[in-house]
Amino acid sequence: SEMSATNELSIEPARWQVGDDGELFAPLYGDVYASRSGAWGQALSVFVDGCELSSRWQSARCIRVLETGFGLGVNFLTTWASIKASHSKARLQYVAIEKHPFTVHDLRAALQMSRSTVPKSLAPLLDELIERLLAQWPPLISGFHSLPLDDQTTLTLVFGDVDSLLPSIHGCFDAFYLDGFAPDRNPAMWSLQTMQHLARIAAQGAIVTSWCVAGSVRRALHEVGFEVSK
């Protein structure tokens, strides 16, 4: 029946709690989504700046980013706000794989809680962009959900397991944000197989960036052909 097909495709939403230090905590993985002090600043310094995007979208017609783990959408929202603040005419095509997405209600509440630490340079833009994202937030059904957020930016949310979904992703990506939970909590996100898929869809000169410096992850990236530096 149609009902049972829908049930098979629906996925378990993310849950979050507020930890003792005010961080947003994911009980399923025993790890944090965002520390009270750092998520937005990290999104800018580790991911947007780490992938050299500010210079890329001055010269490129289109920038394609793939993120493993969407979480609260902090990295995406920071990237979107940064390209708008730069007045670049480049298109942004952003793909994010997320096994446990938030319900729209929980996403709104979690983003509201973390807003106090937004970098001042992006704060004026972010309220509007958060509302646009929430207005198009898809149903929690596994598979690909393409959100044309504005004339410049398309976000494709891919709900499900990274192992089974990465083989279905094709194209040439300029930047990869590796931002899953820690390797000991969520090993599939950081496996050699995952890195092999990233190498397959990497454009010439693509940059991978992450907060994670685990030796196993560095070795896997090196093995598939990325130059690794800390």
Side-chain angles (χ1 to χ4, degrees):
S1 73
E2 196 173 318
M3 178 71 79
S4 64
T6 304
N7 288 342
E8 281 166 29
L9 288 170
S10 62
I11 49 186
E12 184 186 348
R15 307 270 179 240
W16 61 274
Q17 300 169 351
V18 180
D20 296 339
D21 299 326
E23 76 277 12
L24 299 180
F25 189 76
L28 191 64
Y29 288 94
D31 206 348
V32 295
Y33 279 110
S35 64
R36 174 151 282 187
S37 60
W40 297 92
Q42 176 177 277
L44 205 50
S45 63
V46 172
F47 294 104
V48 175
D49 292 346
C51 282
E52 301 173 7
L53 291 187
S54 53
S55 60
R56 285 172 177 241
W57 52 51
Q58 295 310 330
S59 55
R61 292 176 60 188
C62 180
I63 298 288
R64 299 193 72 201
V65 179
L66 177 72
E67 178 175 24
T68 57
F70 187 76
L72 303 180
V74 168
N75 294 333
F76 166 69
L77 287 161
T78 303
T79 305
W80 188 18
S82 298
I83 197 170
K84 291 191 85 63
S86 76
H87 303 295
S88 163
K89 295 288 188 285
R91 290 184 58 77
L92 173 62
Q93 295 183 347
Y94 195 109
V95 178
I97 302 171
E98 177 56 67
K99 185 175 183 179
H100 297 294
F102 284 96
T103 65
V104 70
H105 174 268
D106 280 351
L107 183 62
R108 181 185 291 279
L111 282 168
Q112 203 58 48
M113 277 205 59
S114 72
R115 276 302 314 285
S116 59
T117 62
V118 167
K120 287 187 171 55
S121 60
L122 299 179
L125 275 169
L126 274 164
D127 279 334
E128 180 197 345
L129 300 189
I130 287 170
E131 286 309 315
R132 283 198 209 175
L133 174 62
L134 292 168
Q136 288 199 39
W137 192 248
L140 303 195
I141 294 171
S142 61
F144 289 67
H145 304 269
S146 186
L147 316 183
L149 292 167
D150 62 23
D151 292 344
Q152 184 176 30
T153 301
T154 300
L155 168 65
T156 302
L157 290 166
V158 190
F159 291 160
D161 269 316
V162 73
D163 289 348
S164 54
L165 290 167
L166 260 179
S168 315
I169 293 176
H170 302 283
C172 282
F173 288 85
D174 306 291
F176 298 96
Y177 294 177
L178 306 189
D179 198 23
F181 292 120
D184 59 341
R185 310 294 167 93
N186 192 12
M189 280 287 202
W190 308 93
S191 69
L192 178 60
Q193 188 180 6
T194 293
M195 302 313 168
Q196 286 167 336
H197 282 301
L198 302 190
R200 173 181 60 84
I201 54 177
Q204 191 68 37
I207 297 177
V208 177
T209 186
S210 181
W211 52 269
C212 176
V213 293
S216 59
V217 174
R218 296 209 306 274
R219 285 191 295 276
L221 283 166
H222 186 265
E223 189 169 326
V224 301
F226 289 104
E227 291 176 29
V228 180
S229 61
K230 188 171 166 183

